[in-house]
Amino acid sequence: MAILPPPIVLDPLLHQWLKEDIGRGDRTTQGLFTQEASSGNGQWIAKEAGVITGLPIAARVFYLLNEKVSFIPLVAEGESCQPSQAIARFHGPFDALLMGERVALNLTMSLSGIATLTRQYAEKIADLPAQLVDTRKTTPGLRLLQKYATQVGGAINHRMGLDDAVMIKDNHIQAAGGIGEAIARIRNTIPYPMTIEVETTTLAEVEEAITHNADIIMLDNMPVEQMEVAVKLIRVSNNNIKIEASGNVTLKTIRAVAETGVDYISSSAPITRSSWLDLSMRLGSWDKQ
């Protein structure tokens, strides 16, 4: 189950984005309506099929502008929608509805796009043991929400930041003088129960990572045939080592990668290659929509 950041974490982000959009004031809305002078109803409508994500965040946007806004999701987080489907209803003062419209819609459209593509990737391997994992290739300032969206879509989160886990990548290995040297330096510095993951690109590197007791071995940008050999090598040597595959994973290749027997498949594509899901906000009586 995806866990939405609590208000103490979420609200400062939303305040920042609302301030960015509103600036010194909404010239149009505030010129038309005095605060709470009039209220109205409306709906959010999906203009294409996808996986809806972010409606509780949208509700929070409007709440921060005016606690009298009532924003009612009509679909659950992670539920699929169809074109022309109403996904939320709202009622409240026009000034709050119109000032919050863009921030709330932008977030929901972006997160829904990520969840939609994540779902497509996850469904490709749903009947296999391998799990889809996201990466740190996120937009600065949006990581918490983008990784929330991948959870909604069916992935699990990789580390949220550099302080979550040890991942010894190619440049670390180069700078440290080798996989063994890098693991030895780090082993006595990390707190319990943090694990050590090592990125490998060759079978020789896989063997070195096994020899020095890496907890997780990443097979990075390996051809499927080489990956199969690496998985067998690791399983025979130490079945407790977890195996992650990464690099150029696409909807066409993810199943073949999963069939090699890896535990995890990490991909940035659900975030970096997703498109926003097209949604619109329409004012007017609910029974006329």
Side-chain angles (χ1 to χ4, degrees), residues 116-132:
T116 298
L117 187 54
T118 303
R119 180 72 52 83
Q120 293 173 21
Y121 272 80
E123 287 177 345
K124 291 284 186 180
I125 59 172
D127 60 329
L128 297 172
Q131 294 181 286
L132 177 65

Side-chain angles (χ1 to χ4, degrees), residues 73-262:
L74 300 179
V75 298
E77 287 285 89
E79 185 177 336
S80 296
C81 68
Q82 299 301 319
S84 301
Q85 180 180 345
I87 62 169
R89 289 177 174 173
F90 55 84
H91 172 82
F94 279 129
D95 62 330
L97 295 176
L98 294 171
M99 280 193 285
E101 174 183 3
R102 191 73 274 148
V103 171
L105 273 175
N106 285 358
L107 288 171
T108 307
M109 290 193 292
S110 173
L111 299 181
S112 295
I114 291 171
T116 298
L117 187 54
T118 303
R119 180 72 52 83
Q120 293 173 21
Y121 272 80
E123 287 177 345
K124 291 284 186 180
I125 59 172
D127 60 329
L128 297 172
Q131 294 181 286
L132 177 65
V133 180
D134 59 24
T135 75
R136 282 172 49 245
K137 289 184 180 178
T138 57
T139 306
L142 284 173
R143 179 170 295 171
L144 279 175
L145 299 188
Q146 289 180 331
K147 281 179 167 281
Y148 165 74
T150 63
Q151 287 187 74
V152 173
I156 60 175
N157 291 154
H158 211 298
R159 57 180 180 164
M160 295 296 291
L162 296 174
D163 59 344
D164 279 5
V166 170
M167 182 181 289
I168 303 172
K169 298 175 71 66
D170 55 351
N171 287 326
H172 298 113
I173 295 168
Q174 176 68 27
I179 289 175
E181 179 65 22
I183 292 177
R185 289 191 197 179
I186 289 174
R187 178 71 70 188
N188 295 324
T189 68
I190 60 174
Y192 174 85
M194 191 172 284
T195 56
I196 296 177
E197 179 169 3
V198 178
E199 178 183 280
T200 63
T201 57
T202 68
L203 294 178
E205 289 178 342
V206 170
E207 290 177 338
E208 189 175 0
I210 294 171
T211 299
H212 290 87
N213 299 313
D215 300 296
I216 307 168
I217 296 178
M218 176 193 290
L219 310 178
D220 188 49
N221 283 298
M222 284 189 182
V224 170
E225 296 78 10
Q226 184 181 7
M227 199 178 296
E228 290 174 341
V229 175
V231 170
K232 291 178 181 178
L233 177 62
I234 296 167
R235 297 296 188 218
V236 169
S237 301
N238 185 344
N239 199 42
N240 292 321
I241 295 175
K242 296 298 184 181
I243 308 172
E244 176 183 338
S246 184
N248 296 316
V249 177
T250 69
L251 286 171
K252 291 182 179 180
T253 64
I254 188 171
R255 186 166 182 86
V257 173
E259 288 173 342
T260 65
V262 297

